[in-house]
Amino acid sequence: MSADDLLPAGFIGPAPSPVFFDLAAWPIAFVRFPELDDEDRLEGVLGGLEMLLDQKVPFVAVWIPASHDHDDEPHEDEIASNKWIKRHREALNTYCKGYVYITRDEALAALLTDRIATISGRLFRFPMKVVGDHEEALQAGELMLATCAYTHPR
């Protein structure tokens, strides 16, 4: 089974890698942050995000953290990610209607909440939220999409 076999109705073009993306709840996309040893880790996620942006419809990205700390990311990957964000910030702010982060780790939740406070509004114009599980993430994503008055034809 290829990634394209997993495309939700209405999704146009190639599918993002199912290693990093779960589109079963599209336009809510569950995205797994790559582990340090994942193949194509940077291109897999950034290329997949481009495929979501190419849909030109509102969506919410639900981020599932990696097992390592953000500060452990290779410096060159961090630079490439920041350049990608700068190139795609306008499209992200147009089509992405929210980021939701899933974690049950209280320390990580506090760290993510602090990081959100730092970048929210300065970098992105959409809401960001930390939740404890998949169901809460779906509810938060649906609310973010409802707030932008978008109804996806499922």
Side-chain angles (χ1 to χ4, degrees):
M1 179 180 297
S2 74
D4 291 331
D5 293 331
L6 304 173
L7 283 175
F11 197 96
I12 300 167
S17 169
V19 171
F20 301 111
F21 288 83
D22 176 354
L23 301 180
W26 179 255
I28 299 171
F30 285 78
V31 188
R32 183 180 64 81
F33 274 108
E35 297 297 337
L36 293 173
D37 61 349
D38 279 339
E39 258 185 65
D40 298 323
R41 60 188 308 277
L42 194 59
E43 181 53 39
V45 172
L46 298 181
L49 285 172
E50 284 185 44
M51 292 173 193
L52 300 185
L53 292 171
D54 287 346
Q55 301 307 300
K56 299 193 182 328
V57 298
F59 70 92
V60 171
V62 177
W63 295 95
I64 301 163
S67 62
H68 63 278
D69 187 83
H70 176 78
D71 293 338
D72 295 332
E73 288 287 322
H75 184 67
E76 59 276 4
D77 287 359
E78 189 68 20
I79 290 170
S81 294
N82 287 333
K83 287 180 180 178
W84 186 93
I85 288 170
K86 286 179 184 176
R87 281 193 316 273
H88 295 87
R89 182 170 36 190
E90 184 176 331
L92 275 168
N93 281 318
T94 299
Y95 298 113
C96 185
K97 299 306 172 188
Y99 275 0
V100 180
Y101 298 87
I102 299 176
T103 183
R104 291 180 190 256
D105 180 318
E106 290 181 21
L108 180 56
L111 178 66
L112 288 169
T113 300
D114 287 346
R115 287 184 180 160
I116 287 169
T118 301
I119 64 170
S120 185
R122 186 174 56 100
L123 187 58
F124 300 122
R125 295 188 305 261
F126 48 80
M128 296 180 223
K129 182 174 185 168
V130 179
V131 300
D133 62 40
H134 187 273
E135 190 58 39
E136 280 184 89
L138 279 174
Q139 291 171 358
E142 288 169 359
L143 180 60
M144 289 169 174
L145 288 168
T147 302
C148 79
Y150 178 71
T151 304
H152 186 270
R154 291 186 192 235

